[in-house]
Amino acid sequence: MSPPDLPAPPPPEAPELCPLGLDGVLVRFAQRFGPAANRAALDLAAGLTADPLPGQTEVASALVSVAVRFDRGTTSRAAILAALRNRLARPAPPQARAPQRLWQIPAAFGGAHGPQLAELARILGRPEAALRDEICATPLQVLAIGFAPGQPYLGLLPDAWDLPRQTALTPQVPAGAIVTAIRQLVLFANASPTGWRWLAQTAFRPFQPQGAVPLPLAAGDALRFVPVPGAEMEALLRAGDPMGGARLESAP
């Protein structure tokens, strides 16, 4: 299955270049999340990773911004700012537009593995199975990694999923829980309280500190959840494999 083609227009706002500590610059494409600003952040981060600026030491994208660190011994903030402005004036390379990797991750929805799916079905006036099928049919993308090591923000779900966070916290969801709010999904790296509704469970661990690749997912990856029965999920959880049955495919 090929990752989705996700073309996006340039964001309407000119990016801001803000100081970030003694050795960093934050490139911010918008004040609030939007698909165009996220696409611009992913494009810039991909470009800087493939072709670093002179003196660049680190690049990391968030939902609508990119942090760039530099070595003060080999370059200056003024030089980095000038290089960033020059890079931002270029069009994004075509290969940055489409995800290069597609993850297929088994997930069990509802019941003990997603106890708030029933509540969400009542709110939306739709059957639980229809919500599960819509999530699994939606071509998701890793919008950003954040909040905890390796933890992905995924999106975007259809407009009907533009629901606010809960007014109170769920005391704890387990590692591997899939939660939703504001048209996004998060796959929790660790057990955590959350204000997002818990819909499903995976055995996949987005943070694998003992693995050869501690952070398997990367911003810009495509991802689909594959529905499995609760018994199959229990077997995956008992097996203890941090990949949890996930498969990684390359774009054609």
Side-chain angles (χ1 to χ4, degrees):
M1 184 181 298
S2 301
D5 185 17
L6 296 175
E13 304 173 33
E16 298 178 85
L17 276 64
C18 310
L20 187 65
L22 295 175
D23 62 349
V25 174
L26 183 72
V27 183
R28 186 163 54 202
F29 290 93
Q31 295 290 334
R32 300 181 62 183
F33 175 80
N38 178 252
R39 184 70 261 169
L42 292 177
D43 286 348
L44 178 62
L48 292 174
T49 299
D51 181 17
L53 304 177
Q56 173 186 311
T57 59
E58 183 181 6
V59 59
S61 63
L63 285 173
V64 296
S65 61
V66 178
V68 181
R69 297 284 183 187
F70 58 90
D71 180 359
R72 297 171 64 205
T74 61
T75 190
S76 65
R77 186 182 303 278
I80 287 290
L81 288 171
L84 280 170
R85 291 189 183 100
N86 180 62
R87 186 67 61 90
L88 288 164
R90 303 182 196 171
Q95 64 270 24
R97 284 288 177 201
Q100 302 301 303
R101 309 195 305 171
L102 171 64
W103 292 90
Q104 305 266 12
I105 300 180
F109 288 79
H113 296 107
Q116 291 175 299
L117 181 61
E119 174 192 351
L120 190 62
R122 289 193 297 271
I123 292 171
L124 294 177
R126 299 175 63 192
E128 292 181 43
L131 299 183
R132 175 202 64 205
D133 292 348
E134 187 164 54
I135 290 173
C136 294
T138 299
L140 300 169
Q141 188 167 357
V142 179
L143 305 173
I145 301 289
F147 182 75
Q151 184 160 295
Y153 287 78
L154 307 167
L156 287 173
L157 293 171
D159 290 344
W161 293 81
D162 193 11
L163 299 169
R165 298 169 180 84
Q166 301 175 109
T167 56
L169 288 177
T170 299
Q172 183 166 284
V173 298
I178 300 170
V179 301
T180 189
I182 52 177
R183 294 185 64 196
Q184 296 178 51
L185 298 166
V186 170
L187 197 170
F188 269 92
N190 302 294
S192 175
T194 181
W196 295 33
R197 288 180 174 85
W198 176 17
L199 307 183
Q201 174 74 39
T202 76
F204 177 76
R205 299 293 177 262
F207 180 45
Q208 302 176 18
Q210 308 306 319
V213 182
L215 307 180
L217 301 177
D221 285 354
L223 186 149
R224 285 184 185 269
F225 290 114
V226 179
V228 298
E232 184 174 335
M233 181 52 55
E234 288 300 320
L236 287 169
L237 290 167
R238 287 194 301 271
D241 180 357
M243 293 305 292
R247 292 186 294 111
L248 175 60
E249 302 174 2
S250 297

Short mmCIF file of all heavy atoms in Angstrom, two decimals, residues 2 35 52 71 79 124 137 140 186 204 239:
data_model
loop_
_atom_site.label_atom_id
_atom_site.label_comp_id
_atom_site.label_asym_id
_atom_site.label_seq_id
_atom_site.Cartn_x
_atom_site.Cartn_y
_atom_site.Cartn_z
N SER A 2 0.63 2.16 -0.86
CA SER A 2 1.46 3.35 -0.98
C SER A 2 1.03 4.40 0.02
O SER A 2 -0.15 4.55 0.32
CB SER A 2 1.33 3.94 -2.39
OG SER A 2 1.74 3.00 -3.35
N PRO A 35 -2.60 22.44 8.68
CA PRO A 35 -1.89 21.50 7.79
C PRO A 35 -0.79 22.16 6.96
O PRO A 35 0.27 21.56 6.76
CB PRO A 35 -3.01 20.96 6.90
CG PRO A 35 -4.26 21.12 7.71
CD PRO A 35 -4.06 22.38 8.50
N PRO A 52 22.57 20.09 5.44
CA PRO A 52 22.70 20.98 6.60
C PRO A 52 23.34 22.32 6.26
O PRO A 52 24.13 22.44 5.32
CB PRO A 52 23.60 20.18 7.56
CG PRO A 52 23.52 18.76 7.07
CD PRO A 52 23.31 18.84 5.59
N ASP A 71 26.75 25.46 16.02
CA ASP A 71 28.01 25.49 16.76
C ASP A 71 28.54 26.91 16.76
O ASP A 71 28.97 27.43 15.72
CB ASP A 71 29.01 24.53 16.10
CG ASP A 71 30.34 24.49 16.82
OD1 ASP A 71 30.53 25.22 17.82
OD2 ASP A 71 31.22 23.74 16.36
N ALA A 79 24.96 34.55 10.75
CA ALA A 79 25.19 33.72 9.57
C ALA A 79 24.10 32.66 9.43
O ALA A 79 23.64 32.38 8.31
CB ALA A 79 26.56 33.06 9.66
N LEU A 124 -20.79 11.53 18.85
CA LEU A 124 -20.86 11.73 17.41
C LEU A 124 -22.10 11.11 16.79
O LEU A 124 -22.38 11.34 15.60
CB LEU A 124 -19.60 11.15 16.74
CG LEU A 124 -18.28 11.85 17.09
CD1 LEU A 124 -17.10 11.13 16.43
CD2 LEU A 124 -18.30 13.31 16.67
N ALA A 137 -9.16 3.66 8.00
CA ALA A 137 -9.16 4.00 6.58
C ALA A 137 -8.49 5.34 6.29
O ALA A 137 -8.18 5.65 5.14
CB ALA A 137 -10.59 4.02 6.05
N LEU A 140 -2.97 8.51 7.71
CA LEU A 140 -2.41 9.38 8.74
C LEU A 140 -0.94 9.68 8.43
O LEU A 140 -0.28 8.97 7.70
CB LEU A 140 -2.51 8.70 10.11
CG LEU A 140 -3.92 8.36 10.59
CD1 LEU A 140 -3.87 7.46 11.82
CD2 LEU A 140 -4.70 9.64 10.89
N VAL A 186 -2.83 10.54 19.23
CA VAL A 186 -1.52 10.36 19.85
C VAL A 186 -1.39 8.90 20.25
O VAL A 186 -2.34 8.32 20.79
CB VAL A 186 -1.33 11.27 21.08
CG1 VAL A 186 -0.07 10.89 21.86
CG2 VAL A 186 -1.25 12.74 20.66
N PHE A 204 2.71 -1.67 20.08
CA PHE A 204 3.86 -0.97 19.52
C PHE A 204 4.37 0.06 20.51
O PHE A 204 3.59 0.78 21.14
CB PHE A 204 3.46 -0.28 18.22
CG PHE A 204 4.55 0.53 17.58
CD1 PHE A 204 5.59 -0.08 16.90
CD2 PHE A 204 4.55 1.92 17.65
CE1 PHE A 204 6.59 0.67 16.29
CE2 PHE A 204 5.54 2.68 17.06
CZ PHE A 204 6.56 2.05 16.38
N ALA A 239 3.58 -11.13 24.23
CA ALA A 239 4.83 -11.47 23.54
C ALA A 239 5.97 -10.53 23.92
O ALA A 239 7.14 -10.91 23.90
CB ALA A 239 4.62 -11.46 22.03
#
